[in-house]
Amino acid sequence: MRAPRHNLWLAAPILFFAAMVFLRDEPFLTLLNMLAALLLLGLLTFTLGAKPIERLTLASYPLAVCAAGLMASFSAAPIVRLVAAFIGERRGRAAGLSRVAVGLLIALPFLGLFTLLFAQADAVFAQAAQSLFSPELLKRLPDWTAQAIWIGFVTWLTAGAMMLALARAASPDGWPDLERPIAPIVQLGFVESATVLASIALLFLAFVVIQFAYLFGGNANINVAGFTYAEYARRGFFELVAVAVVTMGLLLALEWVGQVSQSPQPQKGTREVAVFKTLCLILIALVLVILASAFQRMSLYESAYGFTSLRLYTHAFMIWMGVVFALKAAALWLDRARLFAFGGFLSLIAVLGGLNLLNPDAFIVEQNIQRYLATGKLDSDYVLSLSADAMPPLMAHLDQLQTYERIKIGGVLRFQKDALYAELSSAPWPSYHWGRKQAVDALTAQQDTLNQYPAVRPSRRPVN
């Protein structure tokens, strides 16, 4: 019983994203890495022993992940039955243990009373009892309880996933076929679908003409329109991204419910398919221009105000959307629908992997420092509010800053070094984090430089 090798390649990105949780300290990236590792693990669990995942349809990916999570929740039940059977075989011993438990419950209040009396009578006994029932121990009890519940939940899901994977590999033919497309509830004819695509394409064309006349025409044209670069860049950026997302959903919906390829006349059906694909390709080309406009707007905004985490992640999202639309165009042109599904899946892994390799907070510091050297503008409160990943590049560029920024950033870095060192020193080994250790090492190497500045507590992290 062995899983097909062409599905086991998913283990590589799973391990990569799991390792990045240990290497990167940026909170949102850490959340994305955890989600990616868990979702990919669910996909691998459900496809173990199945056909290659390259054959899955677009809807099959979320269905497989959801099915894996749901079925793993119940698949651990046989383990519970095995444990119950094991206990049932030893009823005599279990009955004796239950009687001991009842006796301990009866003795518990008396044990407490006698312990209190002994503590009052003997100082050494009192010290021993105090160490056993210290307030610090009781204060940490809720945390330990919560951790035990979480560990139990994860253990249950893991056991269920293992049972599911083994059952899937043992009998791959007894599971739902996720390669078959889901039939639509309603259907549209060619005329309706073509009308929707053509009318939206005309509207997009009018918008693209305006974009070329103003945004892509340079600063002078924007100023003539009455907007500054920053105002024009900020105006409607998220709306343009929303347009791209909704358009992709519309294309997928029309392709799903359309009856374009179903015609009693073969020649007419072939002509309708060609027209439908042409309209889709035109709309995709216009959306790519709109995405380029949104990308340009964000670049202008960053040139005016600098980089932030939100702006960097929106850049990455727009790049991914551009790749997805290009894949959709290739799938339409080559008539290979699964190229879009599998390509989009791989591109999402690639973009998230690229963000990890980029190290967002370190990249933001580098870009904002370069902007500061060119313009003299730096939002020091923001760069100081970033994660430990930002500390090594901040320390590397400290001597390039003017006096005010150098004193402010140096003081906060000194405070953060001491705080991070104390956190790493007192934390148990499961809390060890390589990225924070690297930050402490980078700051400790410049200890003499940091000692010139008074330690300053950083302000609260601002909204991007």
Side-chain angles (χ1 to χ4, degrees):
M1 183 172 60
R2 187 176 60 182
R5 294 181 180 179
H6 41 245
N7 284 350
L8 291 179
W9 65 267
L10 282 172
I14 291 172
L15 293 175
F16 174 80
F17 292 127
M20 285 298 135
V21 174
F22 176 67
L23 298 177
R24 295 288 179 255
D25 191 46
E26 205 280 315
F28 185 66
L29 185 62
T30 299
L31 175 63
L32 293 179
N33 287 329
M34 293 174 63
L35 289 175
L38 291 174
L39 294 177
L40 288 174
L41 187 59
L43 183 62
L44 176 60
T45 298
F46 197 78
T47 58
L48 196 62
K51 297 177 182 178
I53 63 172
E54 302 95 293
R55 301 179 185 178
L56 296 181
T57 63
L58 182 63
S60 300
Y61 288 92
L63 286 177
V65 172
C66 293
L70 182 62
M71 298 179 71
S73 301
F74 298 98
S75 295
I79 298 178
V80 177
R81 289 197 295 268
L82 289 174
V83 174
F86 178 79
I87 295 175
E89 293 176 358
R90 293 159 175 79
R91 291 181 180 178
R93 185 181 302 176
L97 290 176
S98 64
R99 293 178 180 179
V100 171
V102 171
L104 287 175
L105 288 175
I106 296 173
L108 189 61
F110 296 98
L111 291 173
L113 176 61
F114 294 148
T115 301
L116 181 61
L117 293 174
F118 287 149
Q120 294 293 330
D122 187 87
V124 177
F125 185 86
Q127 186 176 4
Q130 185 177 4
S131 63
L132 183 61
F133 300 102
S134 64
E136 182 65 25
L137 178 66
L138 296 177
K139 186 168 62 176
R140 298 184 64 180
L141 189 59
D143 293 336
W144 290 345
T145 304
Q147 291 176 9
I149 294 174
W150 175 247
I151 291 172
F153 174 72
V154 173
T155 303
W156 176 272
L157 282 182
T158 303
M162 292 177 64
M163 296 290 291
L164 171 62
L166 292 173
R168 190 86 158 92
S171 57
D173 297 330
W175 298 80
D177 185 9
L178 294 179
E179 297 181 28
R180 186 177 303 170
I182 302 174
I185 300 175
V186 296
Q187 292 183 331
L188 286 180
F190 165 74
V191 176
E192 293 86 350
S193 301
T195 302
V196 172
L197 292 173
S199 58
I200 294 177
L202 288 175
L203 175 63
F204 284 12
L205 180 61
F207 181 81
V208 166
V209 170
I210 294 175
Q211 296 302 288
F212 273 103
Y214 288 97
L215 185 61
F216 296 117
N219 190 17
N221 288 334
I222 294 177
N223 289 334
V224 168
F227 298 105
T228 66
Y229 245 35
E231 289 171 343
Y232 197 84
R234 193 171 187 175
R235 185 183 179 91
F237 162 76
F238 289 104
E239 287 82 354
L240 294 184
V241 177
V243 165
V245 174
V246 173
T247 302
M248 176 56 71
L250 178 64
L251 287 173
L252 296 176
L254 288 177
E255 190 175 33
W256 184 45
V257 303
Q259 295 177 286
V260 177
S261 60
Q262 301 177 12
S263 174
Q265 304 177 18
Q267 293 183 351
K268 180 181 178 182
T270 303
R271 184 170 62 251
E272 289 179 351
V273 170
V275 171
F276 180 82
K277 288 184 177 181
T278 302
L279 289 173
C280 288
L281 291 173
I282 292 173
L283 194 58
I284 289 173
L286 294 172
V287 170
L288 288 175
V289 176
I290 292 173
L291 279 174
S293 171
F295 193 91
Q296 177 74 355
R297 287 170 185 255
M298 182 53 67
S299 298
L300 295 176
Y301 195 61
E302 286 166 341
S303 67
Y305 295 104
F307 275 78
T308 66
S309 297
L310 179 60
R311 295 165 198 168
L312 179 61
Y313 284 118
T314 52
H315 263 311
F317 178 74
M318 284 186 289
I319 293 173
W320 178 67
M321 284 296 298
V323 173
V324 167
F325 274 101
L327 287 170
K328 184 60 180 173
L332 286 170
W333 184 265
L334 300 174
D335 196 19
R336 295 180 61 185
R338 286 181 175 80
L339 172 65
F340 169 70
F342 186 60
F345 172 68
L346 288 183
S347 65
L348 188 58
I349 294 177
V351 168
L352 184 54
L355 281 172
N356 280 282
L357 296 177
L358 182 66
N359 196 354
D361 281 359
F363 176 81
I364 289 170
V365 168
E366 292 286 351
Q367 295 301 312
N368 286 346
I369 291 294
Q370 296 303 319
R371 176 177 172 272
Y372 166 79
L373 296 176
T375 65
K377 299 178 180 179
L378 177 66
D379 188 350
S380 55
D381 287 332
Y382 180 77
V383 295
L384 287 172
S385 69
L386 297 174
S387 69
D389 297 333
M391 295 180 192
L394 275 175
M395 191 67 233
H397 292 288
L398 189 61
D399 59 348
Q400 297 179 280
L401 305 178
Q402 297 298 325
T403 303
Y404 173 77
E405 285 83 6
R406 188 168 63 250
I407 293 175
K408 181 177 181 178
I409 292 177
V412 173
L413 289 180
R414 180 179 177 182
F415 176 89
Q416 290 177 322
K417 177 189 71 68
D418 296 337
L420 273 178
Y421 181 80
E423 178 186 340
L424 290 173
S425 301
S426 61
W429 69 265
S431 299
Y432 180 84
H433 195 278
W434 188 86
R436 296 171 194 167
K437 180 63 167 57
Q438 291 296 107
V440 171
D441 291 343
L443 298 180
T444 303
Q446 301 292 328
Q447 180 69 50
D448 294 338
T449 301
L450 290 179
N451 287 340
Q452 302 174 16
Y453 311 105
V456 178
R457 182 185 296 270
S459 58
R460 192 174 65 176
R461 185 183 180 99
V463 179
N464 292 349

